[in-house]
Every structure is written in structure tokens, then in C-alpha cells.
């Protein structure tokens, strides 16, 4: 099992540790509901150093990114990032990722899911016909997500860079907590605001930055947050989780990711996806909330009023913020409209639910 | 681990307290910690006569769901009514206000065959 530079911090804070994507990661500290609320209302720190980072460099870097991703990276100017995905040849999804433009037409950083680092690296390498310089910097890159309405105010104490006014999906690089070359990005997976901080694991940088953040946020009551609350936070927002809601056989259009699928350029499976768009998709990822009491879980069947199968649950939980059970799942397109009654098979019972707008409210 | 000495335990992480033929059953402190924040306890077997080891309900936590196993044979008579609105009692007071069911046991001697606190602690390590 791999460790992040913060593993000892988590253990000494009493975190419950689990193996996730080959890494020893904190699943929770004080409890999911408490951690979840801390991020929604205040500020929390996630160690997500298990995520993968690739640097693509050189004059053909952008062209390679354009060919392997679905979004239009040519729109990116330096200091901007975009959400995108890597489609496979059949129109499924190899992974979803963030593309950072470090230097226009020259240097890009791709941030990928921990469980897909090797798969993505091999996939992109296979398409790298023009010998773009590629570096897998995952093992030496630390990533802390500091999220919540008070996150940037707390972090501003640690740097001269203006992070309070950093626009969504933009980033800056500079000195943070005494460490040079820290990349601060106004992104996240919680919908609560805040930033993600990337830096090289060199010397005592990891300890210094972790300690500085908790010291700066002490008065505000900043908390460490585990992966369990990360999941409930993203699910309330309706953000897809790779392996749950999207995978090698789901199409970005079915997953509601049409907004990051741009047909003004060539990319893998463009024709298949463009056809899907023209002809319409058969199933669609929707949000739903339970009416009957019960919690939907990944893999549960979705049925219609007559008990006929119409889809499958991909994610589900009790929403800590809303106090009701919510989920996402694929349903046949005819059942995708908001408020459509659907039924979730929970163990041997059919429980009523209805299609709901995401983000959930 | 703070498991009361006066209770009996199963390797499925349930505890049993018995008085005459009436047993009170809940899940252990270890179990509630492993499950995390509990949001729903579902028991639809009240009045049913069930054998030891039968699934008598489920406990839903935010992240996971787990079956509840009957420690001894008997008939379930009551579900803790407080859990309907405050399932978190299982987390905050697993051996007290977070009890789950009461049952009439077929053979009270079955209870003494369950693990004692020390035996249970060797299960949880």
C-alpha cells in the first residue's frame, strides 16, 4: 500500500484509515456528518495527494490533449483550468480529469483519478505519436483541497498572492506558507468553494504547509476531512465519481457531460458521440431523491411503477445537509424528466423515489 | 474498547442483555465506529419467531449498509421507538439509549453461551 506525505498526520489525528486506489487514506476523522457540515459551513482540509498529475510539454502538447480529451483545451489561456474527459474508442470514458494550462501551447498539467493513473498514462502515451514530452509527477506531488466558505479567507493569511479573488477554475503559482512554486487553484469537488493546493513533496514542504494551514485556521475551527465526506459532498452537488457514475462503458453524453464534449475539433470517438447527440441517447444519468424511507446504493435496480427495470443506481447516500436520501443513476430517457416517479429496489422492496434536479436542494 | 462486563456479545458485533426471558439487543461500540454515522435502523420482523443467526433488520449508515443478525432464537417484541427520529443514538450511546430491539428468547441459557466482554475483545483485536 502506498502512503501520502500526510499519512502520519492522519493517523496521529485518529483518522480511520482505509485502502483506496492502492493508497492508505483517511476515510473519516470525527464522523462523516460533522466533517461534511464543517466543509459546507466553514472550512475543511482533504489530503488528496493520491490523485495523479501528468505534465505534457512542447509544441505538440496541446494537439495531443485536443485529440485525447473531449473538451476544447485550445480555449485555455495560462492560469486557467478546465474539466474534461478522456473518451475511449467506443465512446466510453477512460477517465475524467482537469486540464491546467501552465503555459499556452507549451506546458499543461493533467490531473487524473488515483485509480486510473496507470491506465490514463498508457492511454495518452499510446496516442502520443508526435513525441510530446510527458512526465508522471504523481508520486512527488502533494495535493490538499481546502474547501468551504471560509477556506480562502483562512489561507490568505499564508500568502501574498491574492487568493480571495481567484476566479473559479483559474489558478496561480507562487510562495505559500514559505514554500515556493505552490500552485493554488480555485477548483474543488465539494461545491463549497475554496481551493486546491499542489506542491512538490520536497524537504519538509508537506509538514510545513499542513501545519501552517491548521494553525491559520485554528481560530475558525478548520477540520481535517476524510474521503467519506468528500463523497457525500460531491454527491449533493451531483458531481460524477469515476467508477461509480461514469466508467469505460458510459458515454459522456449519457452522463450529462455534453457540456465538456465539444464537436468543433477531432478527438477519440468523436463520430460515435456526435451520432449519439444527433440521434438521441437511450439512457441518462439523473439525480433522484427518496420518498419512501431507505437509502439507495450503487448497483440497486431502478424500476417503473409496474416493476419493470428502467435503470440502475450509480451513487446514493443519506444527504447530511438536506437530511434526506439522495442518489444518482441511469434511467431510460423517457424517465429522466424532473419529478418523474421511479422506484428503487432496496433489498426485497420497491421504494418510491422521484427524479430530482442536481445540485440537490 | 469499553464493552460493559454485564453484557454478552456475538462475533457479528451485537450485544445482549437478558432479564428472565426478555433480551435487549444492540450493536457494539466497535460496530458503530466501523459503520460511521447511522441514519436508519430498519426492523420489520417484530412478532416473528426467528432462529439464531437470522437477519432481523438492517442498519444504514451514511456510507454503508449492514445486516443485523439475531444473537439467539426467539421472538422480537419491540423496536427502540427513539431510533425512528434519532438513529444517531446508536453512535452516541450504543449500550444505552441506542439499543435496537427487545425479544423473548426461546432458551435463556443460549445467552450465556455467547461471548463475554473479554471474549468479544479478542474478536475485535
Amino acid at each position: 500500500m502506498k502512503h501520502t506525505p500526510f499519512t502520519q498526520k492522519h493517523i496521529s489525528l485518529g483518522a480511520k484509515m482505509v485502502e483506496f486506489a492502492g493508497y492508505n487514506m483517511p476515510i473519516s476523522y470525527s464522523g462523516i456528518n460533522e466533517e461534511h457540515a464543517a466543509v459546507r459551513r466553514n472550512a475543511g482540509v482533504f489530503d488528496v495527494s493520491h490523485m495523479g498529475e501528468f505534465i505534457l510539454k512542447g509544441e505538440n502538447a496541446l494537439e495531443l490533449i485536443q485529440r485525447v480529451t473531449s473538451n476544447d483545451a485550445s480555449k485555455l489561456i495560462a492560469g486557467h483550468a478546465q474539466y474534461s474527459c478522456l473518451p475511449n474508442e467506443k465512446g466510453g470514458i477512460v477517465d475524467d480529469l482537469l486540464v491546467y494550462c501552465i503555459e499556452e501551447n507549451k506546458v499543461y498539467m493533467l490531473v487524473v483519478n488515483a485509480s486510473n493513473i496507470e491506465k490514463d498514462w498508457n492511454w495518452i502515451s499510446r496516442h502520443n505519436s508526435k513525441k510530446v514530452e510527458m512526465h508522471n509527477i504523481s508520486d512527488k506531488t502533494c495535493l490538499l483541497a481546502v474547501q468551504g466558505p471560509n477556506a480562502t479567507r483562512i489561507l490568505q493569511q499564508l500568502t501574498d498572492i491574492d487568493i480571495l479573488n481567484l476566479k473559479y477554475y483559474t489558478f496561480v503559482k507562487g510562495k505559500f506558507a514559505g514554500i515556493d512554486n505552490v500552485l493554488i487553484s480555485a477548483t474543488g469537488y465539494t461545491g463549497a468553494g475554496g481551493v486546491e493546493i499542489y506542491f512538490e513533496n520536497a524537504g519538509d514542504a508537506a509538514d510545513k504547509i499542513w501545519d501552517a494551514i491548521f494553525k491559520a485556521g485554528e481560530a475558525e475551527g478548520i477540520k481535517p476531512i476524510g474521503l467519506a465526506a468528500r463523497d457525500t459532498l460531491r454527491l449533493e452537488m451531483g458531481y460524477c465519481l469515476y467508477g461509480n457514475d461514469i466508467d469505460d462503458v458510459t458515454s459522456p453524453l449519457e452522463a450529462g457531460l455534453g457540456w465538456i464534449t465539444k464537436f468543433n475539433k477531432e478527438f477519440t470517438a468523436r463520430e460515435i458521440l456526435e451520432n449519439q447527440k444527433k440521434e438521441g441517447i437511450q439512457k441518462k444519468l439523473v439525480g433522484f431523491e427518496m420518498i419512501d424511507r431507505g437509502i439507495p446504493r450503487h448497483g440497486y435496480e431502478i424500476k417503473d411503477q409496474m416493476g419493470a427495470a428502467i435503470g440502475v443506481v450509480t451513487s446514493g447516500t443519506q444527504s447530511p445537509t438536506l437530511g434526506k436520501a439522495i442518489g444518482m443513476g441511469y434511467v431510460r430517457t423517457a424517465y429522466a424528466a424532473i419529478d418523474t416517479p421511479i422506484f428503487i429496489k432496496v433489498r426485497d422492496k420497491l421504494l418510491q423515489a422521484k427524479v430530482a434536479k442536481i445540485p440537490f436542494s | 474498547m469499553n464493552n460493559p462486563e454485564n453484557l454478552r456479545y456475538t462475533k457479528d458485533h451485537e450485544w445482549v442483555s437478558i432479564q428472565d426471558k426478555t433480551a435487549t439487543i444492540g450493536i457494539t461500540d466497535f460496530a458503530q465506529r466501523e459503520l460511521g454515522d447511522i441514519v436508519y435502523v430498519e426492523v420489520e420482523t417484530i412478532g416473528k419467531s426467528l432462529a439464531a443467526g437470522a437477519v432481523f433488520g438492517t442498519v444504514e449508515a451514511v456510507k454503508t449498509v449492514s445486516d443485523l443478525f439475531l444473537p439467539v432464537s426467539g421472538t422480537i417484541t419491540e423496536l427502540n421507538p427513539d431510533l425512528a427520529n434519532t438513529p444517531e443514538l446508536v453512535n452516541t450511546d450504543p449500550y444505552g439509549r441506542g439499543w435496537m430491539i427487545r425479544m423473548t428468547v426461546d432458551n435463556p441459557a443460549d445467552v450465556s453461551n455467547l461471548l463475554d466482554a473479554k471474549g468479544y475483545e479478542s474478536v475485535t483485536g
Side-chain angles (χ1 to χ4, degrees):
Chain A
M1 202 163 29
K2 287 187 174 181
H3 296 274
T4 79
F6 306 103
T7 302
Q8 280 314 315
K9 299 270 186 206
H10 307 316
I11 292 170
S12 65
L13 284 164
K16 192 199 286 183
M17 305 294 288
V18 294
E19 182 173 347
F20 181 82
Y23 285 82
N24 189 19
M25 299 298 289
I27 185 97
S28 67
Y29 300 82
S30 55
I32 300 179
N33 286 338
E34 195 179 315
E35 292 166 37
H36 182 109
V39 175
R40 280 274 176 264
R41 294 186 202 138
N42 184 19
V45 181
F46 305 76
D47 172 17
V48 277
S49 302
H50 59 315
M51 300 282 288
E53 294 85 11
F54 305 152
I55 298 289
L56 272 59
K57 254 186 192 167
E59 55 176 351
N60 293 312
L62 176 61
E63 194 247 16
L64 174 60
I65 292 167
Q66 286 290 69
R67 270 190 292 128
V68 295
T69 64
S70 60
N71 206 342
D72 184 3
S74 74
K75 290 274 198 310
L76 285 174
I77 57 171
H80 286 242
Q82 78 181 185
Y83 181 53
S84 193
C85 73
L86 297 172
N88 63 29
E89 275 135 354
K90 292 180 172 160
I93 302 174
V94 178
D95 201 4
D96 62 338
L97 75 165
L98 291 182
V99 179
Y100 284 82
C101 178
I102 312 272
E103 216 182 307
E104 263 163 80
N105 291 311
K106 272 205 195 104
V107 187
Y108 294 83
M109 178 169 76
L110 310 185
V111 181
V112 304
N113 283 300
S115 50
N116 291 335
I117 293 175
E118 206 186 325
K119 180 174 79 160
D120 294 354
W121 178 262
N122 293 339
W123 178 260
I124 299 167
S125 299
R126 229 173 81 193
H127 289 82
N128 185 11
S129 49
K130 292 187 181 162
K131 303 257 183 296
V132 169
E133 196 181 323
M134 286 175 56
H135 300 276
N136 182 351
I137 59 165
S138 305
D139 283 345
K140 59 175 184 181
T141 304
C142 300
L143 173 53
L144 294 175
V146 187
Q147 302 276 293
N150 295 330
T152 51
R153 204 156 41 81
I154 290 166
L155 298 184
Q156 190 63 73
Q157 302 168 57
L158 301 172
T159 181
D160 292 334
I161 306 167
D162 180 9
I163 51 176
L164 272 173
N165 297 304
L166 197 58
K167 289 212 172 65
Y168 198 44
Y169 272 79
T170 67
F171 65 93
V172 284
K173 233 176 172 185
K175 194 171 192 157
F176 179 85
I179 307 292
D180 286 318
N181 273 318
V182 176
L183 191 157
I184 302 167
S185 162
T187 48
Y189 196 43
T190 65
V195 294
E196 296 180 294
I197 304 172
Y198 299 82
F199 54 96
E200 192 181 343
N201 178 27
D204 58 354
D207 275 352
K208 252 183 157 166
I209 288 186
W210 176 278
D211 292 342
I213 292 171
F214 279 93
K215 191 159 177 242
E218 196 179 356
E220 304 261 10
I222 200 168
K223 277 184 187 300
I225 315 292
L227 293 181
R230 183 168 163 84
D231 190 48
T232 52
L233 287 156
R234 70 92 195 168
L235 187 48
E236 285 180 350
M237 298 308 292
Y239 297 155
C240 289
L241 171 62
Y242 193 88
N244 271 45
D245 311 297
I246 51 177
D247 58 33
D248 291 299
V249 297
T250 58
S251 131
L253 300 180
E254 291 167 351
L257 300 177
W259 64 280
I260 58 162
T261 309
K262 301 289 168 62
F263 297 113
N264 60 348
K265 57 157 204 168
E266 277 311 316
F267 63 95
T268 321
R270 178 210 151 125
E271 256 177 61
I272 296 173
L273 295 173
E274 205 167 13
N275 251 339
Q276 274 180 20
K277 195 182 176 183
K278 236 182 278 165
E279 286 169 12
I281 46 176
Q282 305 298 309
K283 56 176 184 174
K284 209 176 156 192
L285 185 65
V286 297
F288 63 86
E289 57 181 67
M290 299 303 295
I291 295 168
D292 288 335
R293 195 154 182 188
I295 318 281
R297 308 281 182 191
H298 179 81
Y300 286 7
E301 284 179 279
I302 305 179
K303 307 232 175 193
D304 70 5
Q305 243 144 345
M306 311 301 290
I310 56 165
V312 63
V313 174
T314 55
S315 288
T317 192
Q318 172 81 4
S319 159
T321 307
L322 305 169
K324 59 188 176 189
I326 58 171
M328 293 205 292
Y330 286 95
V331 293
R332 284 205 248 125
T333 313
Y335 295 86
I338 306 298
D339 288 334
T340 306
I342 57 172
F343 294 81
I344 312 298
K345 193 176 174 204
V346 178
R347 291 175 286 284
D348 52 355
K349 281 184 299 183
L350 282 187
L351 301 182
Q352 196 175 351
K354 65 172 184 183
V355 176
K357 218 167 66 191
I358 45 179
F360 292 96
S361 55
Chain B
M1 200 70 63
N2 170 34
N3 300 303
E5 295 287 341
N6 58 330
L7 302 178
R8 293 286 169 154
Y9 300 88
T10 71
K11 59 176 175 30
D12 297 316
H13 311 290
E14 275 122 13
W15 58 260
V16 184
S17 131
I18 188 147
Q19 193 152 35
D20 301 325
K21 287 196 84 171
T22 301
T24 304
I25 286 152
I27 64 169
T28 63
D29 189 42
F30 176 84
Q32 69 80 15
R33 270 175 218 264
E34 286 297 302
L35 286 165
D37 289 335
I38 286 159
V39 293
Y40 184 30
V41 179
E42 184 186 68
V43 175
E44 292 182 331
T45 46
I46 292 169
K48 280 194 186 156
S49 168
L50 295 172
V55 173
F56 71 87
T58 48
V59 52
E60 298 262 15
V62 175
K63 281 295 285 180
T64 187
V65 56
S66 183
D67 284 331
L68 295 163
F69 299 97
L70 207 62
V72 289
S73 302
T75 306
I76 298 173
T77 54
E78 191 184 354
L79 165 68
N80 181 353
D82 294 340
L83 298 186
N85 292 320
T86 47
E88 61 272 19
L89 287 173
V90 178
N91 293 115
T92 54
D93 194 6
Y95 298 115
R97 294 178 64 210
W99 65 274
M100 286 187 172
I101 56 164
R102 293 224 164 88
M103 67 180 290
T104 306
V105 302
D106 292 345
N107 180 6
D110 290 350
V111 174
S112 47
N113 293 331
L114 299 173
L115 300 167
D116 59 12
K118 215 173 192 164
Y120 177 64
E121 271 150 36
S122 71
V123 172
T124 56

